[in-house]
Every structure is written in C-alpha cells, then in structure tokens.
Amino acid sequence: MNYTTQMDAARKGMMTKEMKQAAASDALSPQELMAEIAAGRAVIPANKNHKNLIPKAIGKGLTTKINVNLGISEDCSNFDNEIDKVKTAVTMKADAIMDLSCYGKTQEFRQLIVETSGAMLGTVPIYDAIGYFDKNLTDITAAEFLRIVEVHARDGVDFMTIHAGINRETARRFKKSGRLTNIVSRGGSLLFAWMEQTGNENPFYEHYDKILDIFEKYDVTISLGDACRPGCINDATDAAQIEELIVLGELTKRAWDRNVQVMIEGPGHMALNEITANMLLMKKLCHGAPLYVLGPITTDIAPGYDHITSAIGGALAAASGADFLCYVTPAEHLCLPDMDDMKEGIIAARIAAHSGDIAKGIRGATDIDYKMSTARKNLDWEGMFELALDPVKPRRYRKSSQPEHEDSCTMCGKLCAVRTMNSVLSGKKVELKEDDCHAN
C-alpha cells in the first residue's frame, strides 16, 4: 500500500519509519503518535527530499518543540556565519531551523542547510520571491508566487509559512480595526501591499488548492501564517486577528481533505491574562491542529531583553496548549542576532518549552528535574552540570568563584542548607565557626 504524506499513511494505518523515529525520541508510542497524526492533532514535517532528516513530531501529547530563525539578508549576507549558527543550534538541541533568507543566493544557502542539517527546515517563500525573480513586489504574478513555493518544496523544505488567511475580506476588517501597530508580519505586510496595489486577491488564498497540490506531492507541512498577529499588547485579540483565525480554521480542513499536515501560527505580542484564552480559541477554531507560536511577548518595553518576555509568554502558551515555540533573541526588534544572541534565545525557548511540558503533564517531563534535585541533594556538582539545559554557563560560574569547601559554594559556604541537612540527617555534628555567621 502506497501513501502520499505522513497523514495519508497514518489514516491508512501504515507505520512509517518517520513515525517510529519521532516516537522513539518523544513521549508517545508509535501507535499513539500515528493516531494523533491521522486526526491532525500532530505532525511530522518530513519533506521526501530531505534525505538526512532526523524526524520530530509536533502536537498533542508530545514535548514542546522549539524553532530557531536565521538566514541571510542584504545587510548580513555571510554564508559561513549563518551555517555556523545552524550547526550550533542543532548542537544546542533546537528541533527546527527556519531559514528567513531574503537576499542574494538564497537557494544555494537553503540547499546547503538541507545537506548539512538533520533538523526540520522551515521557510517563508514570499520572503524569497522578490530576490528570486528580481522584480518589484507588484510586478510578481500569482503564478510566480506559486512557483517559488514549489522551488522551496523541491529543495527539501519540511514546513512552510503560507499567509493564506489574509484575504481581501480579512484586509477589509483590518483597515477598520484602528490598530496601533498595523500589520507587523513581514509576509503579511507584503501580501497586504500586493493586494492593495494590484486589486487582486491574495494568491495563496485564491490558489490554495494548487498550494496543496505541491505540499501533497513533496509531503510539506503547511504552517498557516498569522499575518494579523498583534505587534503590541494593545492590538491583541482584536477583530482582525480573530477574522484571520476563522479563515485559518477553514483552510485547515481543506488541507486535511488532501492529507496535507497543518500547523497554525499564533500571536505575537499579548498580555499574560489573554494567552490561555487565545491558545484555547486557536485550538477550537482550528480543530485541534498543532499551534506554532512566536512568544507571545508579554510587554512592549523590553528591547534587548525580549528573549525573557518571550520565554514568560511561551511558558504559559505551552502550558495552555501550544506545541511549537519560535525562539526570540535579545536582538528582536533591533537587528539580526549574532551567535551569542542566538544562544540566549535558544536557552530561553527551551526553558519555556520544558516549563510548559511540566505544567501540561507531558509523560516523563519531570524525570530530568528529579535527577537534578537528586544531584543537588548530593552536592554532585558535575552531575548538576551534565543535567543542566546549558552545561557551559554553570560550569563557568563555578570555576570563576571557588569555595573553601568543595561541597559548598561561595554564596553560603558552611551555611549551605543542603550541606547542613545532609550532616544532621546522617548523624554528624554541625560545627560552624563564629566568623561564618557574621553575615547574618
């Protein structure tokens, strides 16, 4: 029996090698994973042309995955720097790489990522269209927009952001909304401008069935982009965002009718008290499809620290049902992130993802926390470092400030609570010199 996509195989009761591999590294059995894929509640982005892919599953009952954005631009077009980022991101356990390149030899760069990385690869084809065709935006035809999608699919891209939800009716709603920051999605703003200036319907919406033809052929997962995501907390959960979300729910069912796997992209900037309701609403309106969220960023006043605002929102989003977090770096809103920015963003996103997994009761999520607590109880410093999300930084701190006694640290010394309790409970006498107590 043949199959076209992972969803098609799951619906036919066929266990693919990708399902087996993804399940082996996650919380569900292969049979449980297959059932979730068949229902559309989980996906395995796995383009048939991405030969060295290490498959990962995203969705219900699975650990929350994280994505790293990178790519070349007109101002920062160094291939080597970005490929180094790819390799480092994979080493730091990022689950996916999203190539947002928009300038220069984008296809060559994209193909290089596919060849060198086993991580899932995502792209936003509309970013590439202007450079690929060397045309002004309004001179690009609907057929050319579709052609660039097929180029990316043929190159081995596993999932693509397609902004099909911002049709002319959604755009009309947006123009009446009085938004503070308008449309902050790069792809969404380009399509809005194209529609306004040509008078035509969004080609990704008008020719959606042709997009599905491509995605079914190569088994690309469609990530339905949120063109109307809020760009500030003032704009969150407004009519434009909800109007687009309703359209995305309709497009989800159309994709499933073709056995094309679907993810739904989510908000942007949003106050903490709105996040849980938004995750529930997105799941409801989009029929339980996996949610892929940027942040949400919980306050607008922290440029330089938006990896923190994003991690706060991401943890709550994951706890409330989000399945895939797009990392945010300290450089968000400011510049292209460098290597150090990327590392900070990855760790922040992994903290948020794991915190969410604990809260929503993902099978086995707290196992590593139990091991860390045991290592702390035993004052096993090397064990703590090995279990840490980032072993490098805690080792550096420990080395930079050596205590007098190896079983303590320079903050507490002999007053270490763990050291004291271990001694007392093992029947040893606790002896503290007077000068050890002066600080208190």
Side-chain angles (χ1 to χ4, degrees), residues 45 50 53 58 66-71 82-101 109-110 113-114 116-124 156-160 292 324-327 342 346:
H50 195 169
L53 176 70
I58 301 165
I66 72 158
N67 170 72
V68 168
N69 290 341
L70 44 78
E82 296 306 295
I83 290 297
D84 283 345
K85 286 184 188 176
V86 171
K87 294 175 180 176
T88 301
V90 172
T91 299
M92 295 182 69
K93 300 182 180 180
D95 301 291
I97 303 294
M98 206 156 190
D99 174 20
L100 306 185
S101 296
F109 179 70
R110 183 168 59 249
I113 297 176
V114 171
T116 59
S117 170
M120 297 179 289
L121 177 62
T123 59
V124 187
V157 173
D158 302 298
F159 64 98
M160 292 185 217
Y292 174 26
F324 192 24
L325 303 182
C326 185
Y327 91 150
M342 185 192 76
I346 289 173

Side-chain angles (χ1 to χ4, degrees), residues 188-310:
S189 66
L190 291 172
L191 282 168
F192 177 82
W194 189 88
M195 287 190 290
E196 287 289 295
Q197 293 175 21
T198 66
N200 296 326
E201 179 59 275
N202 176 353
F204 297 128
Y205 178 78
E206 184 176 11
H207 303 290
Y208 189 63
D209 286 331
K210 293 180 180 178
I211 298 285
L212 296 179
D213 289 340
I214 297 168
F215 280 32
E216 183 182 24
K217 178 180 177 181
Y218 294 95
D219 195 3
V220 176
T221 297
I222 189 166
S223 188
L224 288 170
D226 52 341
C228 293
R229 70 173 179 264
C232 64
I233 59 174
N234 183 82
D235 294 343
T237 325
D238 69 353
Q241 180 193 334
I242 303 305
E243 172 91 20
E244 182 181 39
L245 187 59
I246 292 169
V247 177
L248 297 187
E250 296 166 354
L251 295 174
T252 296
K253 284 193 169 182
R254 286 174 60 184
W256 285 347
D257 287 342
R258 298 287 301 277
N259 291 313
V260 172
Q261 301 182 100
V262 178
M263 295 188 293
I264 306 297
E265 297 190 12
H269 292 234
M270 184 167 288
L272 273 173
N273 62 306
E274 296 186 50
I275 293 174
T276 297
N278 266 262
M279 297 303 108
L280 295 174
L281 186 63
M282 290 174 69
K283 284 281 187 180
K284 185 73 173 179
L285 291 179
C286 295
H287 320 294
L291 303 185
Y292 174 26
V293 301
L294 176 68
I297 290 172
T298 56
T299 177
D300 301 329
I301 62 169
Y305 299 92
D306 276 324
H307 59 310
I308 298 173
T309 62
S310 173

